[in-house]
């Protein structure tokens, strides 16, 4: 499969202390590293699930792809060309990459009707020769809502309806890649599956690549081809979804999977669910950053950071002692 998106060695750093406080703060404490040395790729037609707890850096990574936050190291290539530069330079890229934001209502202008919101991408990108009202009707039908919704305002929508409108907007310009940031957040369990099935069905129909960012491993298990597991800004395990669920190699992944209800008796579930809190990004543990929660931690783990290494042609892990 042709690679659509290639991310290599990405670092994203935020300034957390500004103004006069920055003059007093030690240099190292003015910034936090939200993403460190992250590498992944997404092919056309593929669904990649980027999973991690809150604070793992997955949303920062997603936002860096479309230039909403800058990256300080590494590279992002889309269809073989490096991305980056000014807002103007990023505009063509944003036409080819649709983004579903985490908070759908907050990401939609409250003053515009759904019809205007769906027509907006055609105006922003100055797409000629389109009947924007007809496009809005096409898009609202595509996500399973009737035309009456075109007259409504975002605050009149339920969480599920707002997500559908966000998806319709992300798909408006027929992008090659869609990034969905927590597409099921805030939805009842009963409609989470519905939202993901719709995403999967539209992907199958349009053939775009799909990068789903979520803390919710069970919800993407059945629609993602490959998974990347993030912890404190680093990808600690990557590989085919089925292989990871059958035999997780990183103790963090094993802990996440242990918390998922397993209908398949063949799937290993001998790890206990995760305990303890994710450490602060401002106080990263020494050595392996997962050692404070890992029941296999040794002295070596506490002092030496493991490199990311391949354990199969299509699987990698960042652990000194991968699970067998
Ligand atoms: Fe656990 Fe050590 Fe592996 Fe880190 S390197 S995940 S502490 S076994």
């Amino acid at each position: 499969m042709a690679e659509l998106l290639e991310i290599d060695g990405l670092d994203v750093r935020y300034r957390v202390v500004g103004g006069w406080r920055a003059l007093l703060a030690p240099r190292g404490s003015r910034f936090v590293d939200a993403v460190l040395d992250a590498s992944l790729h997404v092919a056309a037609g593929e669904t990649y699930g980027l999973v991690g707890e809150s604070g793992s850096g997955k949303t920062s990574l997603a936002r860096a792809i479309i230039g909403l936050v800058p990256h300080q190291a590494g590279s992002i290539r889309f269809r073989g060309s490096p991305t980056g530069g000014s807002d103007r330079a990023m505009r063509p890229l944003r036409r080819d990459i649709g983004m579903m934001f985490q908070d759908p209502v907050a990401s939609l202008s409250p003053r515009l009707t759904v019809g205007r919101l769906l027509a907006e991408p055609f105006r922003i990108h100055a797409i000629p020769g389109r009947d924007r009202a007809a496009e809005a009707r096409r898009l609202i039908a595509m996500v399973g809502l009737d035309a009456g919704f075109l007259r409504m305002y975002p605050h009149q929508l339920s969480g599920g309806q707002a997500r559908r409108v966000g998806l319709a907007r992300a798909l408006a310009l027929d992008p090659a890649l869609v990034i969905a940031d927590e597409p099921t957040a805030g939805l009842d369990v009963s409609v989470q599956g519905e939202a993901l099935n719709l995403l999967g069905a539209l992907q199958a129909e349009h053939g775009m690549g799909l990068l789903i960012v979520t803390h919710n491993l069970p919800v993407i298990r059945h629609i993602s081809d490959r998974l990347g597991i993030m912890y404190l800004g680093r990808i600690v395990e990557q590989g085919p979804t089925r292989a990871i669920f059958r035999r997780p190699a990183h103790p963090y992944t094993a802990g996440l999977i242990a918390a998922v209800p397993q209908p398949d008796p063949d799937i290993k579930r001998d790890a206990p669910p995760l305990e303890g809190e994710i450490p602060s990004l401002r106080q990263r543990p020494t050595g392996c950053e997962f050692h404070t929660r890992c029941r296999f931690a040794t002295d070596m783990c506490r002092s030496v950071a493991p490199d990311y290494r391949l354990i199969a042609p299509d699987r990698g892990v960042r652990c000194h002692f991968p699970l067998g």
Side-chain angles (χ1 to χ4, degrees):
M1 273 195 282
E3 298 300 351
L4 260 187
L5 176 71
E6 296 162 276
I7 297 177
D8 190 26
L10 199 77
D11 288 356
V12 176
R13 165 177 282 195
Y14 293 119
R15 178 183 280 276
V16 287
V17 180
W20 60 268
R21 288 191 184 86
L23 300 173
L24 303 176
R27 182 162 174 73
S29 65
R30 294 177 207 164
F31 300 94
V32 292
D33 294 308
V35 178
L36 278 171
D37 192 22
S39 301
L40 64 87
H41 56 91
V42 182
E46 181 183 43
T47 300
Y48 184 102
L50 190 60
V51 181
E53 292 166 287
S54 170
S56 63
K58 55 194 189 304
T59 292
S60 297
L61 195 157
R63 294 172 75 86
I65 294 169
I66 55 169
L68 293 179
V69 296
H71 60 277
Q72 285 70 37
S75 65
I76 303 172
R77 298 175 74 83
F78 183 70
R79 287 179 161 156
S81 300
T83 69
S86 64
D87 214 46
R88 191 185 174 89
M90 292 295 284
R91 197 169 282 179
L93 181 84
R94 290 185 189 140
R95 181 178 159 170
D96 280 339
I97 301 181
M99 180 90 189
M100 277 180 76
F101 290 95
Q102 195 172 132
D103 183 341
V105 174
S107 70
L108 300 173
S109 171
R111 294 188 307 278
L112 299 183
T113 61
V114 169
R116 295 268 307 276
L117 288 165
L118 295 183
E120 219 186 12
F122 298 92
R123 182 186 60 74
I124 291 171
H125 293 277
I127 308 290
R130 301 281 186 103
D131 177 339
R132 292 177 191 166
E135 292 291 350
R137 288 195 296 276
R138 173 182 70 84
L139 290 166
I140 205 77
M142 184 196 284
V143 295
L145 295 176
D146 69 53
F149 283 93
L150 295 172
R151 292 188 296 276
M152 294 172 79
Y153 288 87
H155 72 271
Q156 297 175 297
L157 303 174
S158 70
Q161 290 159 354
R163 288 218 178 264
R164 283 173 187 255
V165 171
L167 174 58
R169 235 172 100 91
L171 291 172
L173 303 180
D174 206 12
L177 175 72
V178 169
I179 300 174
D181 189 1
E182 298 284 8
T184 59
L187 298 184
D188 285 348
V189 175
S190 57
V191 289
Q192 285 183 3
E194 226 174 74
L196 286 174
N197 289 342
L198 174 64
L199 203 51
L202 290 171
Q203 188 215 23
E205 190 181 330
H206 295 262
M208 73 262 188
L210 191 51
L211 174 63
I212 300 180
V213 176
T214 182
H215 70 283
N216 197 337
L217 193 53
V219 302
I220 57 157
R221 175 177 169 190
H222 297 292
I223 68 161
S224 66
D225 300 302
R226 286 189 305 120
L227 290 177
I229 310 294
M230 281 191 90
Y231 189 75
L232 283 184
R234 298 183 197 274
I235 294 181
V236 296
E237 180 162 7
Q238 260 184 120
T241 304
R242 194 169 169 78
I244 287 182
F245 264 88
R246 282 202 168 275
R247 198 171 287 275
H250 195 283
Y252 178 56
T253 315
L256 290 178
I257 290 175
V260 176
Q262 305 281 11
D264 183 345
D266 289 344
I267 292 178
K268 274 172 81 96
R269 53 175 313 162
D270 51 3
L274 285 170
E275 288 181 358
E277 294 293 312
I278 189 166
S280 162
L281 289 173
R282 299 177 78 168
Q283 288 179 322
R284 290 176 173 275
T286 55
C288 171
E289 291 166 344
F290 185 61
H291 84 250
T292 54
R293 301 171 76 188
C294 182
R295 66 193 175 118
F296 303 107
T298 65
D299 287 346
M300 179 182 171
C301 300
R302 286 182 268 275
S303 57
V304 181
D307 290 328
Y308 183 83
R309 62 193 169 99
L310 292 181
I311 52 170
D314 57 356
R315 284 194 71 181
V317 65
R318 194 182 286 275
C319 174
H320 293 306
F321 311 107
L323 304 174

